[in-house]
Amino acid sequence: MALYLFCAFLVSTLVFMQTLADTSCTDCFIHSRAAYYPNSDEHGTDVGACGFGSFGATVNGGDVSAASSLYRNGVGCGACYQVRCTNSAYCSNNGVTAVITDQGSSHNTDFILSKHAFIRMAQTTDAAASLLALGVVDIEYRRVSCSYPDKNITIKIDESSNNPYYLAFVIWYQQGRRDITAVQLCETQNFVCKLLDRSHGAVWTTASPPSGPLSLRMLFSGEEEGDETWVVPVNNIPGDWKAGETYDSGVQVNQ
C-alpha cells in the first residue's frame, strides 16, 4: 500500500512539473494557421487597425501581419513573432519574423501575413508559389524580440492632432519583446504628468495636452507578473509639435 501511494505521488508530481513547464515556456512554438492579404501588393496594408498608416505596410521590410487574438485590443501592435509553416516539402526551418500592424482573421488563422512575409516562409521560389496557391497553411509561431538596428523609438504625431487642443500619436520602432501598456506625458518645467488614453490600436491620445516641451514616459510590461519598467526617452517632444511630424526619442529598448 505504501509503495502504491508513493508511486501515485511520484506520477502526480511529474505531471504537475510537466504542466508547470508547459505553461511557463515563453520560447515554445504554438501551432496555428496563417493566410495572406490576397488583394494587396507584396507589403501590408496602410490602413491597418493599429493606426500605423503607411509605416505599418513597409516596416520590417514589409514583413508584417494582421492578428486575431494576438492583437489584444491594440496592446499587441508592434509585437514581433517568428512564424514558420510546417509542410516540410515547401517550408524553411526559420520561417519569417513578422510585425503585428493590423487586426483580422480568416479560416481560423492567428495571422494574415503580407504576401512578402508569406512567401518568405518557403524554401525556394517554386515552393513560395505553391504556398501562395494553398492560400492558408498550418504554421507554428512564437514571440520574439523586435530589432531595428540604427533606429530609436520614434513618435509620429497623428494628422488629427491640433496643438494645443488635441494630441494623438503612435510609437514606431518598438524594440524587444515587451509591450507598451501605458504612456504618460509630463511637462518638463513643473513635472506635472498626464496619463494618456489608448484610443485604438497603437494610437495614444489626450485632449488638452500639457503645454511646453513634453517628456514622454512609456511603461514596458513583460509576460511575467511584475515585469514592468518605465522608460523615459532622452529627447523631449518640442512644445511647438505639429501634426504629421516625427520625433526621435533618442532611446532604444531591446529587452
Side-chain angles (χ1 to χ4, degrees):
M1 182 66 179
L3 179 61
Y4 171 80
L5 292 175
F6 173 77
C7 291
F9 171 77
L10 182 61
V11 170
S12 62
T13 301
L14 290 173
V15 170
F16 172 77
M17 292 178 66
Q18 181 62 46
T19 302
L20 184 63
D22 291 341
T23 57
S24 63
C25 180
T26 58
D27 291 323
C28 295
F29 282 96
I30 300 171
H31 293 280
S32 184
R33 288 159 61 83
Y36 68 93
Y37 287 101
N39 53 356
S40 67
D41 59 16
E42 284 196 355
H43 296 132
T45 175
D46 58 4
V47 292
C50 288
F52 288 132
S54 59
F55 174 84
T58 59
V59 65
N60 194 40
D63 291 336
V64 298
S65 182
S68 52
S69 60
L70 297 174
Y71 179 77
R72 292 179 291 143
N73 294 319
V75 175
C77 290
C80 291
Y81 291 88
Q82 181 185 0
V83 184
R84 62 188 189 188
C85 53
T86 57
N87 188 326
S88 60
Y90 304 133
C91 305
S92 67
N93 291 329
N94 292 329
V96 64
T97 297
V99 182
I100 302 302
T101 61
D102 194 9
Q103 181 184 27
S105 63
S106 174
H107 302 285
N108 296 317
T109 62
D110 273 306
F111 296 89
I112 303 179
L113 297 163
S114 65
K115 189 181 295 184
H116 189 272
F118 196 81
I119 62 178
R120 289 198 64 195
M121 294 190 296
Q123 298 174 10
T124 64
T125 302
D126 289 341
S130 297
L131 288 182
L132 290 174
L134 291 172
V136 181
V137 295
D138 292 326
I139 59 143
E140 52 187 16
Y141 71 90
R142 63 181 177 183
R143 179 85 180 262
V144 295
S145 291
C146 297
S147 178
Y148 302 106
D150 304 319
K151 294 289 187 181
N152 293 325
I153 289 177
T154 300
I155 309 304
K156 167 65 187 307
I157 308 297
D158 191 78
E159 299 290 351
S160 64
S161 299
N162 182 17
N163 196 349
Y165 306 106
Y166 177 75
L167 175 60
F169 61 82
V170 293
I171 298 173
W172 289 359
Y173 303 118
Q174 175 184 333
Q175 297 99 334
R177 56 181 293 172
R178 295 197 292 174
D179 301 317
I180 299 176
T181 54
V183 174
Q184 289 184 334
L185 276 180
C186 303
E187 295 183 5
T188 56
Q189 294 182 348
N190 56 20
F191 301 107
V192 173
C193 296
K194 185 172 186 179
L195 188 66
L196 304 191
D197 298 317
R198 185 192 295 272
S199 66
H200 67 280
V203 181
W204 298 92
T205 65
T206 179
S208 302
S211 60
L214 301 175
S215 175
L216 188 70
R217 301 180 74 234
M218 300 171 289
L219 182 63
F220 283 79
S221 301
E223 298 177 11
E224 296 182 5
E225 185 176 354
D227 180 14
E228 295 182 333
T229 304
W230 282 99
V231 174
V232 181
V234 175
N235 300 329
N236 295 324
I237 300 174
D240 61 348
W241 53 264
K242 296 178 177 61
E245 293 294 311
T246 58
Y247 300 102
D248 189 326
S249 71
V251 297
Q252 293 183 349
V253 180
N254 294 310
Q255 301 176 347

